Every structure is written in C-alpha cells, then in structure tokens.
Amino acid sequence: MIPSSWDIVAKGHPSDEFFKAVCSLYILCVLGSDTVLQRDSSQTQDIKTPSRNEAGVELLAKYFSHLPLIESRFFSPTRQTGIFFTWYDSFTGVPVCQQNLSLEKASILFNMGALYSQIGTRCDRQTIVGLEEAISAFQKAAGTLNHLKETFTHTPSYDMSPAMLSMLIRMMLAQAQECLFEKTALPGIRNQFYSLLKMAQEAAKVSEIYDQVHQSMIQTPIKDNVPLLWSTMAQIKTNHYRSMAHFFVASALLDHQLGPSDDEDQQEKTLSQVYDRIPDGRSPLDILKKKDERDRIGKAHIRKAILGHEEALRIYSLCHNNQMDVLEEILKASHQRSLHKYSENENEDEFTDYMEAPDIISKTEHKAEMEVPATTKVKVTDFFQRLGPLAVFSAKQRWTAPRTIRLRPEDRDLGFTLKGETPVQVVSLDPLCPAAADGLKEGDYIVAVGDTDCKWMGVSEVMRLLKDVNEEGIDIQVVSMMESNPPMPTKSATFCGNLPKTYSMICLAHDDDDNNPKARKVTKKPSFLSWGLKNKLKSVSTLSLPTADHSGALPWNKPCPTFPSSSSYNNDSALY
C-alpha cells in the first residue's frame, strides 16, 4: 500500500463580517431591538476551521443550507448590501473579495470537498472498515467538487475554476480506485492463474487513472499552481501500479502451466481479455500450450516491471522528502520482488531476448464513482421565519413600514374583504369606510391583529380574530408593497431627430414674484432644440444634449438658472 498524501487544503476565510451582519439582522428582525444577544465566537471559529470528521462536514452543510434562505431574505438582485465576502485561494493564497453571496456558497462547497479529502487520507487503510471509510470519503469529495463545478460556473477564484476542479475530481477518484484495489488485495492474493490476471487488470486500472491525473496536472496553467509533490506522486503511482500489473501477469505465466485438468477454453478466454494485441502473430492458446513462448512473454513482463519500478524510484529521488520514507521502502520492496522473480527464471544458456511485453488492458469490477453526499441538502429551519412566508417577504420586494389602522365596524361590516393564503390581503375596500379613512389601502397585507402576529395565518384564522370586534374597534398592522423600479415621468421623455433619446426634468416656467405654486404652469416646448435656444431664460433642465464642445459656445452648454425646489410642487411630480 502506498500512503496517500493528497488532501486538499481548505480555503481561508479571514473575517466574520457576514456572521456579525446575520446576528445583527437576527436581533433586529426576530428577537427585537431591545434584546441583547451574546454571539458565541466559538461557533464562528468552527465554521472557519471545522473538525476533520463527519461533524465538521455537517456543520458546513448546515451553514451552506442557510445561505440561500438568507440570500432570499436580504440580498436583493438589484441592490448591493455592502457586505464583502473574502476568501483566499487554497493554492496561491491570493484573496478574492466580492459582495456576491455566490462566492460564499461556492467556497463553503469547496471546503466541504476538501474536508472529505482530509477525512479520506486519515482513515486506517490497514483494515477493511478503514478502507471502506476512505473510499466513501474520496467519492464524496469528488461528488461535492463536481456539484460545485456544475452549479457555480463563473467563480473568480482559480482553485474553483472548471479546469482545476476537473483535475481535483480525477485525483479524488484515483485515490478511491486505489483504495478499492487495496481492499481487494488486503485479504491476500491467491497464487492462481485467474486471480493473478484479475489483479493485473485491477492494478492497470489504477495506473491508468493516475496517468490521467498526471496529464491534467501538467497542463497550463494548472501546473503553475499545483504543488510539485502532487504531480510527482502521480508519476510514481502510475509507474508503480503499471509495474505491479506486469508482475502479476508474469507470475501467472511463469508459475503456472496448462495442465490436463485445467479448463483450456476458460484460460484462453481470460488471457485474451488481458491483451489488446499479442506480438508476432501469436495466439493466446499458443502462449498457454508452448512453454517456451509462455516463459518468453512472462520474462518480457517481468523485465518491464523492473524498469517501471526503477523509473518510480528515480522520480522519487528527485523530490525526496523525509515524510515519505515509507513510500521509498514500498518502492524498493516491490523492485526487489520483481528482481527476485526474474532471477528465479533466468537461464544463463539462453540468448538475451529483447521482446517487448504487450500492454495490459485495464479492467475493474468495482469502479470508483462520484457520490453526492446527502449533507449538501440538509434541511434547516429558517432563522427569520417570524418575518413571514419567504415567497412574499423576500428581498425581491420592497415594503413600507408597518402602519397601524383602527378598525371600527359599522353594522358588523369592516368595509373590506380578505383573500390569499399567508399573509392575507385586503381586497374590495370600501373607500368610504372608517378603515379607508384611517389609511387602509387596496392590496395591503395584514401582518398583525391586535397583539397577534398573523403573517402565517390564512383567511379563516384572521377572520376569526376580526369577527368579535366591539364598537371600540381593534388595531391592525398592515404593510404595502412598493414598486421596485418606479417608472420615470412619461412627460419628460424627448426625442430629437437622429440624436439619442434623452430624458429631462419637467420644465416649469416660474415667476419669481408669484408665490402661489398652484398658479405655475408647464411651458409647452415644440422641441428640445428650440426650447433650449428660445426659452433659456425662463425654463431650465437638469440634462443637456450630448456634445463635444467644451468652450461653452453652444447655447445648451451655458449655465442655467436654478431649478425650483421640488417641495413646492405636488408629490405626484416628485423629482428623481
């Protein structure tokens, strides 16, 4: 077993600005402004540096599941919140700062995958149970990173780029496949023809996947950011497991001869599935029946195994690390085993044979697959549930402050009806009823009746609270939905020939001696150009025509009188 040293370093999170903001919102919106909340700093620290076990993953998963709820409540798609999210690239250490909550969600997913990889590398791979835990952890790491790759496609941090994530996914699956091989080999490999050929193809599969990992690591710009130890380890494992595959085939051919009691057809079929091609036009049956051919190809495999082990040791010597002494011992032991096998079958009277061993087809009965952990879909309770249904009270809508309306029934009639699910909405409002006179509007949402919060109540429940209102009446609280993007005044739009469309403020003629704002009239202008030339002393505008003249010679570049205060006019003509 080769010790694995490939766990992903989690992304760094330098500040807890977002946690402070969430706690402040929780105080104001849920507990009330008079409540004092002692924030547990240890919980914030746990999110930054979770424990390397399932409890740490679950903690990150719960936080990740809360983020969409918080985003829907407070992060408007059209307005910035002023909260910055800063994360450090796990490979380069370069900070990335954005006001977008997507960076926070993507980084948490990345850290979940990193945490699974760290759990996998810390499992005891000397036992079946430990190997199964490692396999599950590596497959979950690959599934989490793949979920990140498919969900967040434009991440600003390079460690979460599609190319880097693809490489990391392959690396996690390679380690899972290696653990599957070790699980098969742990009880012992029987020295039988079929068992040896099966293990040869299993080892070839591990070598093939690590070769794919290495090829992705040496691509630009990944090779500039991946640690050198990673690409070196990928080369070592590629050569080591390829050499093991050739050793197993050599053992099957050199140690076992086709006997009278053996199933000739079955052995021929098994051997034919090992090779993609057989050199010099030989057939699998010829190799099995002719001892000379069998020994010749077997020795070719053992020579290739020796060369592969020597190449693995050479690569290891280029990046010797004291923490990898166990790896060196394993490589040397494998090399000595192949040399011993070759010496057992060496015949001094034979001429040196330079036959090249054919490649071995990779095959596995247990393929490592990406596994999306259930923790990515943890159900959590909305912290801000008391604010009302998320489908209504979200950041997509703008709301007025709650208004108190006094309801006084006339002949047991409140003057309006209710509709909707939760919360209920005022419809069919009688404009002459006392509630309308007190400020109730068509389309208002009732959020409280007396001291009872009714954001989550339906029509029948609210009507039950209102049906027994006495002559003194009862106070209700309502909110109104505001327009998210109020339209610009239609009268102010002006189009001038082939010039682009421009928008000016409503131009008002005014007399300094006239103190009555109601007597002011709108000056009719035939066109923007004629208005700017003829009425420049009487009318004003906050927007001039586009021009490249900076000399001030053009009439519309000259200073204009100050526009009258908007407080003098109706609210319907308020200026924006």
Side-chain angles (χ1 to χ4, degrees):
M1 181 197 76
I2 293 185
S4 175
S5 60
W6 285 346
D7 54 351
I8 306 173
V9 179
K11 296 173 70 67
H13 196 324
S15 66
D16 60 350
E17 177 184 3
F18 178 61
F19 296 98
K20 294 177 182 178
V22 171
C23 290
S24 299
L25 288 170
Y26 187 78
I27 295 172
L28 295 174
C29 301
V30 179
L31 302 179
S33 58
D34 297 332
T35 305
V36 177
L37 179 64
Q38 297 294 333
R39 183 170 59 90
D40 188 356
S41 59
S42 63
Q43 294 181 357
T44 302
Q45 189 64 27
D46 287 343
I47 293 293
K48 292 182 182 180
T49 56
S51 56
R52 293 180 176 90
N53 50 35
E54 289 292 338
V57 175
E58 185 178 359
L59 182 65
L60 288 179
K62 287 182 178 180
Y63 175 62
F64 177 79
S65 299
H66 276 295
L67 291 178
L69 299 175
I70 296 173
E71 182 179 26
S72 300
R73 288 283 187 191
F74 305 109
F75 287 78
S76 172
T78 58
R79 299 186 304 274
Q80 296 292 346
T81 59
I83 299 177
F84 289 88
F85 302 95
T86 304
W87 289 85
Y88 289 108
D89 190 296
S90 62
F91 294 100
T92 64
V94 176
V96 176
C97 183
Q98 280 193 347
Q99 294 190 49
N100 194 340
L101 194 61
S102 295
L103 176 62
E104 185 84 359
K105 292 189 286 187
S107 299
I108 292 298
L109 267 183
F110 184 92
N111 279 4
M112 289 175 63
L115 202 55
Y116 274 121
S117 73
Q118 295 170 15
I119 293 173
T121 56
R122 284 159 176 77
C123 291
D124 181 10
R125 290 163 64 173
Q126 300 290 340
T127 63
I128 294 294
V129 175
L131 283 169
E132 290 177 348
E133 292 175 353
I135 293 167
S136 177
F138 287 130
Q139 290 184 148
K140 288 178 180 178
T144 304
L145 294 175
N146 186 67
H147 179 61
L148 167 61
K149 176 185 172 184
E150 294 179 348
T151 307
F152 302 93
T153 55
H154 297 91
T155 50
S157 183
Y158 182 72
D159 57 354
M160 296 188 291
S161 64
M164 182 64 78
L165 289 176
S166 297
M167 185 275 294
L168 293 175
I169 291 169
R170 290 193 186 100
M171 189 174 72
M172 294 299 107
L173 291 177
Q175 293 185 98
Q177 192 67 50
E178 183 181 10
C179 291
L180 286 168
F181 174 82
E182 293 173 4
K183 181 183 176 183
T184 305
L186 186 63
I189 302 173
R190 292 179 297 174
N191 191 12
Q192 297 178 356
F193 183 80
Y194 299 109
S195 298
L196 290 171
L197 292 184
K198 172 188 173 183
M199 294 305 298
Q201 291 187 294
E202 292 281 355
K205 185 65 177 180
V206 178
S207 173
E208 179 185 57
I209 298 178
Y210 272 121
D211 186 47
Q212 294 173 358
V213 173
H214 177 252
Q215 293 302 320
S216 62
M217 285 182 178
I218 61 177
Q219 301 298 320
T220 305
I222 295 179
K223 66 178 182 180
D224 299 328
N225 298 287
V226 170
L228 178 61
L229 178 62
W230 284 18
S231 58
T232 303
M233 283 291 294
Q235 283 183 286
I236 292 174
K237 292 193 176 188
T238 299
N239 286 280
H240 174 75
Y241 283 103
R242 184 185 294 129
S243 299
M244 288 184 65
H246 286 285
F247 175 83
F248 287 134
V249 174
S251 298
L253 294 176
L254 295 174
D255 297 348
H256 301 277
Q257 303 295 328
L258 184 62
S261 60
D262 293 331
D263 189 341
E264 182 179 301
D265 294 336
Q266 185 62 32
Q267 286 198 15
E268 179 185 11
K269 179 181 177 181
T270 303
L271 186 61
S272 64
Q273 293 175 349
V274 172
Y275 296 131
D276 187 19
R277 63 174 183 84
I278 300 178
D280 300 334
R282 297 176 178 85
S283 66
L285 189 59
D286 291 339
I287 298 174
L288 292 173
K289 287 185 174 182
K290 298 178 181 179
K291 186 178 185 305
D292 292 342
E293 292 294 333
R294 191 170 185 140
D295 291 346
R296 186 184 179 197
I297 295 181
K299 290 179 181 179
H301 279 292
I302 202 65
R303 284 196 300 270
K304 197 163 187 177
I306 293 172
L307 292 175
H309 288 308
E310 290 175 349
E311 178 64 13
L313 285 168
R314 185 191 69 82
I315 297 172
Y316 170 80
S317 65
L318 298 177
C319 65
H320 179 70
N321 191 325
N322 293 331
Q323 297 178 355
M324 299 171 62
D325 291 340
V326 177
L327 173 60
E328 184 180 15
E329 294 176 5
I330 294 173
L331 295 177
K332 288 182 177 181
S334 299
H335 183 228
Q336 290 297 323
R337 183 179 60 178
S338 296
L339 287 174
H340 180 69
K341 176 66 69 176
Y342 184 77
S343 63
E344 285 180 349
N345 295 272
E346 186 180 13
N347 189 347
E348 296 181 358
D349 297 334
E350 292 180 349
F351 290 103
T352 303
D353 191 351
Y354 295 101
M355 175 184 176
E356 183 73 17
D359 294 331
I360 300 172
I361 298 176
S362 63
K363 182 181 177 182
T364 180
E365 295 180 356
H366 306 283
K367 184 180 179 181
E369 301 284 354
M370 290 182 290
E371 179 183 344
V372 180
T375 50
T376 58
K377 301 178 181 178
V378 174
K379 291 184 178 180
V380 293
T381 303
D382 187 2
F383 285 148
F384 304 95
Q385 187 176 12
R386 289 181 55 186
L387 294 179
L390 185 57
V392 179
F393 299 107
S394 68
K396 295 180 180 180
Q397 309 293 344
R398 297 180 61 192
W399 299 91
T400 63
R403 308 189 311 275
T404 301
I405 306 295
R406 188 71 176 179
L407 295 184
R408 298 180 182 85
E410 294 182 349
D411 298 330
R412 303 188 63 80
D413 182 16
L414 296 175
F416 58 85
T417 58
L418 303 176
K419 76 167 187 178
E421 297 180 355
T422 56
V424 296
Q425 193 175 12
V426 175
V427 294
S428 303
L429 176 65
D430 183 0
L432 301 178
C433 69
D438 203 15
L440 187 64
K441 299 178 181 179
E442 183 88 10
D444 282 351
Y445 289 86
I446 300 179
V447 296
V449 176
D451 296 329
T452 304
D453 188 292
C454 57
K455 300 185 190 73
W456 288 94
M457 291 186 180
V459 173
S460 59
E461 296 171 293
V462 176
M463 290 301 298
R464 194 178 302 115
L465 296 174
L466 296 176
K467 71 176 183 178
D468 296 329
V469 177
N470 53 28
E471 295 180 355
E472 295 181 359
I474 190 173
D475 288 335
I476 65 171
Q477 285 192 332
V478 298
V479 293
S480 303
M481 187 181 299
M482 301 171 60
E483 294 185 9
S484 300
N485 296 311
M488 297 190 70
T490 56
K491 292 183 180 181
S492 64
T494 307
F495 183 77
C496 308
N498 293 326
L499 295 175
K501 183 180 291 186
T502 59
Y503 293 91
S504 65
M505 307 306 293
I506 301 176
C507 302
L508 302 176
H510 64 278
D511 186 357
D512 294 335
D513 297 332
D514 187 3
N515 295 325
N516 185 9
K518 295 183 178 179
R520 298 170 183 168
K521 298 181 180 180
V522 177
T523 303
K524 182 179 181 181
K525 51 185 184 297
S527 72
F528 200 102
L529 288 175
S530 62
W531 170 83
L533 293 173
K534 297 179 181 179
N535 301 306
K536 60 183 179 180
L537 299 178
K538 294 184 179 181
S539 305
V540 293
S541 172
T542 60
L543 187 65
S544 301
L545 284 175
T547 177
D549 180 28
H550 302 287
S551 62
L554 294 178
W556 48 76
N557 285 337
K558 294 183 179 180
C560 297
T562 305
F563 198 85
S565 173
S566 60
S567 60
S568 305
Y569 302 98
N570 271 335
N571 292 333
D572 295 337
S573 300
L575 306 179
Y576 295 90

